[in-house]
């Protein structure tokens, strides 16, 4: 889930819509659900024919170690949160100009926005 959240945040920072990113993410997952078992089945068959039935597991280990090396070798600025545009900072601040105006003009008892009934 953290990867998906990071992907959405980074994509939004460069102008991609969340729906577009979610659709692409699901397309990739669907593709991997078809290609993955096929690849691992092929690797198992190949491994059995050469006397190494653990070949799919060795392949998964190599992919995992490669991904870890890629993350560790990447520059640190890649992992910094993307800067937010000024409009997003003002809207998400929890006390921006819009929310204060609504509370002041609510007219209810205690500013709750409901009628001041008895």
């Amino acid at each position: 889930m953290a990867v998906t959240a990071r992907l959405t945040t980074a994509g939004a920072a460069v102008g991609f819509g969340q729906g577009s990113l979610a659709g692409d993410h699901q397309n990739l997952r669907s593709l991997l659900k078809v290609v993955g078992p096929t690849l691992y089945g092929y690797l198992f068959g190949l491994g059995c024919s050469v006397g190494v039935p653990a070949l799919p597991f060795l392949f998964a280990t190599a992919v995992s170690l490669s991904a870890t090396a890629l993350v560790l070798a990447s520059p640190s600025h890649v992992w910094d949160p993307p800067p937010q545009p000024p409009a997003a900072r003002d809207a998400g601040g929890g006390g921006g100009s819009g929310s204060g105006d609504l509370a002041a003009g609510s007219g209810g008892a205690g500013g709750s926005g409901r009628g001041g009934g008895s």
Side-chain angles (χ1 to χ4, degrees):
M1 296 305 264
V3 173
T4 304
R6 176 72 177 154
L7 175 70
T8 302
T9 304
V14 295
F16 286 103
Q18 288 184 356
S20 175
L21 288 172
D24 290 344
H25 181 75
Q26 289 302 320
N27 286 340
L28 179 62
R29 285 177 55 116
S30 298
L31 179 67
L32 291 175
K33 285 183 178 189
V34 171
V35 172
T38 305
L39 175 65
Y40 282 100
Y42 173 76
L43 288 174
F44 180 72
L46 180 66
C48 285
S49 68
V50 296
V52 185
L55 189 60
F57 300 106
L58 296 174
F59 176 75
T61 302
V63 169
S64 295
L65 290 175
S66 299
T68 302
L70 181 65
V71 167
L72 293 175
S74 64
S76 63
H77 72 83
V78 170
W79 303 107
D80 293 337
Q84 293 182 348
R89 277 183 281 182
D90 292 341
S97 61
S99 63
D101 293 342
L102 290 175
S106 64
S112 65
R114 297 180 186 169
S118 46

